[in-house]
Amino acid sequence: MESQALEAISQIIRSRRSIKPFDMDSSRKVERALLLTLLENANWAPTHGLTEPWRFAIFQGEGRMELSETMQRIYRETTPANEFREDKMKKMSENPLLASAVLVIWMERCGGEKIPQIEEIEATACAVQNLHLSASAAGLAAYWSTPPLLGTRAFGDWLGIREQDLCLGLFYMGWPKPGFVWPKGIRQPIEAKLTWHGEAT
Ligand SMILES: Cc1cc2nc3c(=O)[nH]c(=O)nc-3n(C[C@H](O)[C@H](O)[C@H](O)COP(=O)(O)O)c2cc1C
């Protein structure tokens, strides 16, 4: 029989979903105390050499407008004319205002030569997964978004990060709209992704 803790965590992991700002209730605030609890869980991600490279800039209230305007400006300035899409620009402007909180996630390179860059990216991704699982467990809608403009020097300069750091995305959070039905996920069977070696116990 599975332990209760395993059952509980399996349920949380399997029901975590990416829920976009369109489905968030823009009138309902996510309180700072709850955000801090979720971020504290992010902070317990594994980290090679204990470099703890995850960083989050939190945009709420009028701060979301600054983020929205900055993304629109940088998208306009850095997108070649033949790739520019009005619908993308519109989403970029609206999405931050639909969420209660938007986090800009980055990896701050801390480990020097000893820790490969990829391991600090991986550790940051583990922190984001902790955050997403915790948000889902709290009943929050949450979504990790990675528009390419986040990788531009213009965005890095605005955020105040160095050349060696790496912006890894936006994390939108909000309460689901009233009546929202939590979606079911889809995954291919794990068996297709495994190779077994040695005797089964
Ligand atoms: C690193 C990373 C980046 C992502 N970036 C985007 C994105 O830019 N746009 C998007 O629609 N979904 C993005 N997603 C979310 C995936 O689309 C989502 O996880 C996938 O559809 C599975 O759905 P689920 O999270 O509800 O299980 C991203 C997920 C990860 C892990």
Side-chain angles (χ1 to χ4, degrees):
M1 201 185 84
E2 288 185 359
S3 76
Q4 279 188 348
L6 178 57
E7 239 177 79
I9 198 169
S10 298
Q11 204 277 332
I12 290 168
I13 288 170
R14 294 175 201 185
S15 61
R16 179 211 54 77
R17 289 282 73 80
S18 298
I19 298 169
K20 296 194 175 181
F22 173 80
D23 288 312
M24 296 176 188
D25 181 350
S26 57
S27 67
R28 203 172 154 202
K29 214 176 151 209
V30 178
E31 297 298 328
R32 180 174 290 224
L34 175 56
L35 282 178
L36 279 173
T37 302
L38 307 176
L39 285 162
E40 184 61 33
N41 287 354
N43 199 34
W44 282 92
T47 154
H48 190 179
L50 284 178
T51 61
E52 304 180 36
W54 44 84
R55 298 290 181 273
F56 304 97
I58 303 157
F59 294 83
Q60 286 193 283
E62 68 281 6
R64 298 168 308 166
M65 184 55 93
E66 187 194 344
L67 177 64
S68 159
E69 285 170 358
T70 301
M71 288 201 293
Q72 291 174 68
R73 173 178 62 76
I74 296 174
Y75 182 68
R76 222 181 283 115
E77 287 170 3
T78 60
T79 310
N82 60 333
E83 288 173 27
F84 187 92
R85 280 178 41 192
E86 222 26 88
D87 58 329
K88 276 202 173 168
M89 178 83 166
K90 189 165 181 286
K91 269 211 179 117
M92 227 167 264
S93 72
E94 289 173 354
N95 274 348
L97 307 176
L98 295 173
S100 171
V102 191
L103 277 56
V104 180
I105 307 158
W106 75 99
M107 177 278 288
E108 186 169 287
R109 193 79 173 100
C110 310
E113 299 278 291
K114 200 172 146 265
I115 312 287
Q117 185 209 42
I118 186 141
E119 296 191 4
E120 295 198 308
I121 297 170
E122 289 162 345
T124 305
C126 289
V128 178
Q129 177 72 346
N130 280 2
L131 176 65
H132 202 161
L133 291 171
S134 304
S136 289
L140 286 168
Y143 162 56
W144 188 352
S145 161
T146 44
L149 76 87
L150 300 189
T152 62
R153 196 53 241 161
F155 193 81
D157 283 344
W158 173 76
L159 194 57
I161 67 174
R162 305 163 305 170
E163 291 279 354
Q164 64 265 44
D165 304 330
L166 203 54
C167 184
L168 295 178
L170 303 173
F171 194 76
Y172 292 95
M173 276 195 272
W175 294 107
K177 276 179 179 169
F180 176 75
V181 179
W182 202 265
K184 288 212 184 320
I186 314 164
R187 290 294 185 274
Q188 300 305 310
I190 185 63
E191 285 77 10
K193 301 159 187 163
L194 306 175
T195 58
W196 296 94
H197 306 264
E199 286 296 307
T201 52

